[in-house]
Amino acid sequence: MNQFTLTNRTLGAIGLLGAHYMLIAPLLPMRYPALAQSAFDGLVGLFFMLTCMGSLVGLIRLNATGNSSFGYFVIRLNLLTLAIANIWNIYQALDPNANTVLYRILDAFWPISMVVMLLVGIIVVRAGTLRGWRRYVPLAVGMWLPLTALVGKLMGSALVHMDAVADNGTLYILLISGSYASICWSLLAYLVWTTPQPQPIGQM
């Protein structure tokens, strides 16, 4: 019987399609406010996080965190936190902006997953299994959260003295944060797509 398997090339290609969610999804409701009260964000976010999880699976297959038990645990913990965050997407699709306690708890797992991703990135750099620019891509992905926080703080301070653009401050932050995320998740997907998987010793 033939078994259907998602190869790293397939996961990477799908990842390239989903990588731009954080640039597009926050901006479209600004142009079309009705989307904010629809299942749009949840459904698109569901696809995006599934592609993120696919890229992490690709990193696991590439042994990107090395052979340490800590690296083995942390990258799988990242998968778990993304899976929980994805339950929020389903909730959001079924009941947009529910604002219940469960809704807020599930929503918190997206930033939590990015904190874990930052740790994964550090482990990947230290492990050195990936070479060249690939070694630093997971770390760049994990840097999204602190970078977004820094941009928000700096621009918030600057906008106090720039009344003419104060109304567009949120838009600028979303553009910077979303563009960074789009580039980094695209690079991660491309990494998974193009990096040859190590062969088991018995097949070498």
Side-chain angles (χ1 to χ4, degrees):
M1 179 182 294
N2 292 329
Q3 293 184 340
F4 176 72
T5 302
L6 288 173
T7 65
N8 269 19
R9 286 188 64 83
T10 302
L11 291 174
I14 296 173
L16 286 171
L17 294 176
H20 312 292
Y21 160 80
M22 294 181 68
L23 177 60
I24 297 172
L27 299 177
L28 279 179
M30 293 180 130
R31 179 66 178 84
Y32 305 102
L35 291 177
Q37 302 300 323
S38 72
F40 169 80
D41 188 44
L43 292 176
V44 179
L46 180 67
F47 175 70
F48 167 66
M49 288 192 192
L50 285 174
T51 66
C52 294
M53 294 172 71
S55 292
L56 281 177
V57 170
L59 287 179
I60 290 172
R61 290 175 176 174
L62 294 172
N63 193 33
T65 54
N67 298 316
S68 72
S69 56
F70 184 63
Y72 178 96
F73 167 76
V74 170
I75 197 167
R76 286 161 176 80
L77 176 62
N78 204 357
L79 275 174
L80 176 61
T81 54
L82 277 169
I84 296 174
N86 231 349
I87 297 174
W88 179 88
N89 284 314
I90 297 172
Y91 199 156
Q92 172 72 355
L94 295 174
D95 189 7
N97 305 312
N99 201 31
T100 63
V101 173
L102 177 60
Y103 180 95
R104 292 193 295 271
I105 291 174
L106 293 173
D107 191 22
F109 272 87
W110 169 243
I112 290 172
S113 73
M114 293 309 298
V115 172
V116 181
M117 185 70 207
L118 180 59
L119 185 56
V120 168
I122 294 171
I123 295 171
V124 170
V125 170
R126 290 177 60 86
T129 304
L130 299 177
R131 300 297 182 181
W133 62 269
R134 291 172 171 82
R135 182 176 180 180
Y136 302 98
V137 171
L139 179 60
V141 173
M143 286 297 296
W144 171 82
L145 185 61
L147 177 71
T148 298
L150 178 62
V151 169
K153 184 174 180 59
L154 292 177
M155 289 201 69
S157 299
L159 291 172
V160 170
H161 307 289
M162 297 171 62
D163 294 337
V165 296
D167 292 340
N168 292 320
T170 300
L171 175 61
Y172 297 151
I173 293 170
L174 288 174
L175 283 172
I176 295 171
S177 174
S179 297
Y180 179 85
S182 178
I183 292 169
C184 289
W185 282 108
S186 293
L187 285 173
L188 184 60
Y190 181 75
L191 181 161
V192 170
W193 182 26
T194 59
T195 306
Q197 289 181 233
Q199 294 295 319
I201 294 177
Q203 299 180 16
M204 295 179 66

Short mmCIF file of all heavy atoms in Angstrom, two decimals, residues 18-48:
data_model
loop_
_atom_site.label_atom_id
_atom_site.label_comp_id
_atom_site.label_asym_id
_atom_site.label_seq_id
_atom_site.Cartn_x
_atom_site.Cartn_y
_atom_site.Cartn_z
N GLY A 18 2.20 30.17 3.15
CA GLY A 18 1.61 30.67 4.39
C GLY A 18 2.43 31.72 5.10
O GLY A 18 1.96 32.34 6.07
N ALA A 19 3.66 31.96 4.65
CA ALA A 19 4.59 32.81 5.39
C ALA A 19 4.18 34.26 5.49
O ALA A 19 4.68 34.99 6.35
CB ALA A 19 5.98 32.72 4.74
N HIS A 20 3.25 34.71 4.66
CA HIS A 20 2.94 36.14 4.58
C HIS A 20 1.70 36.52 5.39
O HIS A 20 1.23 37.67 5.30
CB HIS A 20 2.76 36.54 3.12
CG HIS A 20 3.86 36.02 2.24
ND1 HIS A 20 5.16 36.49 2.32
CD2 HIS A 20 3.87 35.05 1.30
CE1 HIS A 20 5.91 35.85 1.45
NE2 HIS A 20 5.16 34.96 0.83
N TYR A 21 1.20 35.60 6.18
CA TYR A 21 -0.01 35.85 6.96
C TYR A 21 0.11 37.09 7.84
O TYR A 21 -0.78 37.94 7.88
CB TYR A 21 -0.33 34.63 7.83
CG TYR A 21 -1.25 34.92 8.99
CD1 TYR A 21 -2.63 35.02 8.80
CD2 TYR A 21 -0.75 35.11 10.28
CE1 TYR A 21 -3.49 35.28 9.85
CE2 TYR A 21 -1.60 35.38 11.34
CZ TYR A 21 -2.96 35.46 11.12
OH TYR A 21 -3.79 35.73 12.16
N MET A 22 1.24 37.23 8.55
CA MET A 22 1.36 38.31 9.53
C MET A 22 1.54 39.68 8.88
O MET A 22 1.47 40.70 9.57
CB MET A 22 2.51 38.01 10.50
CG MET A 22 2.21 36.78 11.35
SD MET A 22 3.51 36.42 12.52
CE MET A 22 3.36 37.83 13.61
N LEU A 23 1.77 39.69 7.59
CA LEU A 23 1.80 40.96 6.86
C LEU A 23 0.42 41.29 6.30
O LEU A 23 -0.03 42.43 6.37
CB LEU A 23 2.82 40.89 5.72
CG LEU A 23 2.91 42.12 4.81
CD1 LEU A 23 3.31 43.36 5.62
CD2 LEU A 23 3.90 41.88 3.68
N ILE A 24 -0.27 40.27 5.81
CA ILE A 24 -1.55 40.50 5.13
C ILE A 24 -2.73 40.55 6.09
O ILE A 24 -3.57 41.47 6.02
CB ILE A 24 -1.78 39.40 4.07
CG1 ILE A 24 -0.68 39.47 2.99
CG2 ILE A 24 -3.16 39.55 3.43
CD1 ILE A 24 -0.71 38.31 2.03
N ALA A 25 -2.81 39.57 6.99
CA ALA A 25 -4.02 39.41 7.82
C ALA A 25 -4.34 40.62 8.71
O ALA A 25 -5.50 40.99 8.84
CB ALA A 25 -3.91 38.14 8.67
N PRO A 26 -3.34 41.26 9.35
CA PRO A 26 -3.70 42.42 10.18
C PRO A 26 -4.10 43.65 9.36
O PRO A 26 -4.80 44.52 9.86
CB PRO A 26 -2.42 42.70 10.98
CG PRO A 26 -1.60 41.46 10.88
CD PRO A 26 -1.92 40.90 9.54
N LEU A 27 -3.63 43.72 8.10
CA LEU A 27 -3.87 44.92 7.30
C LEU A 27 -5.21 44.89 6.57
O LEU A 27 -5.85 45.92 6.41
CB LEU A 27 -2.73 45.11 6.30
CG LEU A 27 -1.33 45.30 6.91
CD1 LEU A 27 -0.29 45.40 5.81
CD2 LEU A 27 -1.29 46.53 7.80
N LEU A 28 -5.62 43.71 6.13
CA LEU A 28 -6.87 43.63 5.37
C LEU A 28 -8.09 44.11 6.17
O LEU A 28 -8.94 44.82 5.62
CB LEU A 28 -7.09 42.20 4.88
CG LEU A 28 -6.32 41.81 3.61
CD1 LEU A 28 -6.59 40.35 3.25
CD2 LEU A 28 -6.65 42.72 2.45
N PRO A 29 -8.23 43.76 7.47
CA PRO A 29 -9.37 44.28 8.22
C PRO A 29 -9.36 45.80 8.35
O PRO A 29 -10.42 46.41 8.57
CB PRO A 29 -9.24 43.61 9.59
CG PRO A 29 -8.49 42.35 9.30
CD PRO A 29 -7.51 42.73 8.23
N MET A 30 -8.20 46.43 8.24
CA MET A 30 -8.16 47.90 8.27
C MET A 30 -8.81 48.47 7.02
O MET A 30 -9.42 49.53 7.06
CB MET A 30 -6.71 48.38 8.38
CG MET A 30 -6.03 48.05 9.69
SD MET A 30 -4.33 48.66 9.75
CE MET A 30 -4.35 49.49 11.31
N ARG A 31 -8.64 47.73 5.91
CA ARG A 31 -9.24 48.17 4.65
C ARG A 31 -10.69 47.71 4.53
O ARG A 31 -11.54 48.42 3.99
CB ARG A 31 -8.41 47.61 3.49
CG ARG A 31 -8.93 47.97 2.10
CD ARG A 31 -8.82 49.47 1.85
NE ARG A 31 -9.26 49.81 0.51
CZ ARG A 31 -10.53 50.02 0.17
NH1 ARG A 31 -11.49 49.90 1.08
NH2 ARG A 31 -10.84 50.36 -1.07
N TYR A 32 -10.96 46.51 5.07
CA TYR A 32 -12.31 45.94 5.01
C TYR A 32 -12.74 45.56 6.43
O TYR A 32 -12.55 44.42 6.87
CB TYR A 32 -12.34 44.71 4.10
CG TYR A 32 -11.82 44.98 2.71
CD1 TYR A 32 -10.53 44.59 2.34
CD2 TYR A 32 -12.61 45.61 1.76
CE1 TYR A 32 -10.05 44.84 1.06
CE2 TYR A 32 -12.15 45.86 0.47
CZ TYR A 32 -10.86 45.47 0.14
OH TYR A 32 -10.39 45.73 -1.13
N PRO A 33 -13.30 46.50 7.19
CA PRO A 33 -13.61 46.29 8.61
C PRO A 33 -14.51 45.09 8.88
O PRO A 33 -14.44 44.51 9.98
CB PRO A 33 -14.31 47.60 9.01
CG PRO A 33 -13.80 48.61 8.03
CD PRO A 33 -13.61 47.87 6.75
N ALA A 34 -15.34 44.70 7.94
CA ALA A 34 -16.24 43.56 8.16
C ALA A 34 -15.47 42.28 8.42
O ALA A 34 -15.97 41.36 9.10
CB ALA A 34 -17.16 43.38 6.95
N LEU A 35 -14.24 42.18 7.93
CA LEU A 35 -13.43 40.98 8.14
C LEU A 35 -13.10 40.77 9.61
O LEU A 35 -12.90 39.64 10.05
CB LEU A 35 -12.13 41.07 7.33
CG LEU A 35 -12.26 40.98 5.81
CD1 LEU A 35 -10.89 41.15 5.16
CD2 LEU A 35 -12.88 39.66 5.40
N ALA A 36 -13.04 41.87 10.37
CA ALA A 36 -12.70 41.77 11.79
C ALA A 36 -13.76 41.05 12.58
O ALA A 36 -13.50 40.53 13.67
CB ALA A 36 -12.46 43.17 12.38
N GLN A 37 -14.98 41.00 12.07
CA GLN A 37 -16.09 40.34 12.76
C GLN A 37 -16.45 39.02 12.07
O GLN A 37 -17.55 38.50 12.28
CB GLN A 37 -17.31 41.26 12.80
CG GLN A 37 -17.05 42.60 13.47
CD GLN A 37 -16.60 42.45 14.91
OE1 GLN A 37 -17.08 41.56 15.63
NE2 GLN A 37 -15.70 43.32 15.35
N SER A 38 -15.54 38.49 11.25
CA SER A 38 -15.82 37.27 10.50
C SER A 38 -14.84 36.17 10.91
O SER A 38 -13.97 36.36 11.76
CB SER A 38 -15.72 37.53 9.00
OG SER A 38 -14.36 37.70 8.63
N ALA A 39 -14.96 35.03 10.25
CA ALA A 39 -14.07 33.90 10.51
C ALA A 39 -12.74 34.05 9.79
O ALA A 39 -11.87 33.17 9.91
CB ALA A 39 -14.76 32.60 10.07
N PHE A 40 -12.54 35.17 9.08
CA PHE A 40 -11.36 35.34 8.23
C PHE A 40 -10.06 35.13 8.99
O PHE A 40 -9.21 34.32 8.59
CB PHE A 40 -11.39 36.74 7.61
CG PHE A 40 -10.10 37.14 6.92
CD1 PHE A 40 -9.81 36.68 5.66
CD2 PHE A 40 -9.19 37.98 7.56
CE1 PHE A 40 -8.63 37.04 5.02
CE2 PHE A 40 -8.02 38.34 6.94
CZ PHE A 40 -7.73 37.87 5.67
N ASP A 41 -9.88 35.85 10.08
CA ASP A 41 -8.61 35.79 10.80
C ASP A 41 -8.33 34.39 11.31
O ASP A 41 -7.21 33.89 11.22
CB ASP A 41 -8.63 36.79 11.98
CG ASP A 41 -7.27 36.91 12.63
OD1 ASP A 41 -6.26 37.00 11.91
OD2 ASP A 41 -7.20 36.90 13.88
N GLY A 42 -9.34 33.73 11.86
CA GLY A 42 -9.16 32.39 12.37
C GLY A 42 -8.78 31.39 11.29
O GLY A 42 -7.87 30.57 11.48
N LEU A 43 -9.45 31.45 10.16
CA LEU A 43 -9.20 30.49 9.08
C LEU A 43 -7.83 30.70 8.45
O LEU A 43 -7.09 29.74 8.21
CB LEU A 43 -10.30 30.60 8.02
CG LEU A 43 -11.70 30.14 8.46
CD1 LEU A 43 -12.71 30.40 7.35
CD2 LEU A 43 -11.69 28.67 8.85
N VAL A 44 -7.49 31.96 8.19
CA VAL A 44 -6.18 32.25 7.60
C VAL A 44 -5.07 31.95 8.61
O VAL A 44 -4.02 31.40 8.26
CB VAL A 44 -6.10 33.71 7.12
CG1 VAL A 44 -4.73 34.01 6.53
CG2 VAL A 44 -7.17 33.98 6.08
N GLY A 45 -5.32 32.28 9.87
CA GLY A 45 -4.34 31.97 10.91
C GLY A 45 -4.15 30.48 11.09
O GLY A 45 -3.04 30.01 11.38
N LEU A 46 -5.22 29.71 10.93
CA LEU A 46 -5.13 28.26 11.02
C LEU A 46 -4.16 27.72 9.97
O LEU A 46 -3.28 26.90 10.28
CB LEU A 46 -6.52 27.64 10.84
CG LEU A 46 -6.61 26.12 10.89
CD1 LEU A 46 -6.29 25.60 12.28
CD2 LEU A 46 -8.02 25.67 10.47
N PHE A 47 -4.31 28.20 8.74
CA PHE A 47 -3.41 27.76 7.67
C PHE A 47 -1.98 28.20 7.95
O PHE A 47 -1.03 27.41 7.80
CB PHE A 47 -3.88 28.33 6.33
CG PHE A 47 -2.94 28.03 5.19
CD1 PHE A 47 -2.81 26.74 4.71
CD2 PHE A 47 -2.19 29.05 4.60
CE1 PHE A 47 -1.95 26.46 3.66
CE2 PHE A 47 -1.33 28.77 3.56
CZ PHE A 47 -1.20 27.48 3.09
N PHE A 48 -1.80 29.44 8.40
CA PHE A 48 -0.46 29.95 8.67
C PHE A 48 0.25 29.11 9.73
O PHE A 48 1.40 28.70 9.55
CB PHE A 48 -0.55 31.41 9.13
CG PHE A 48 0.72 31.94 9.74
CD1 PHE A 48 1.86 32.09 8.97
CD2 PHE A 48 0.78 32.29 11.08
CE1 PHE A 48 3.04 32.59 9.52
CE2 PHE A 48 1.94 32.78 11.64
CZ PHE A 48 3.07 32.92 10.86
#
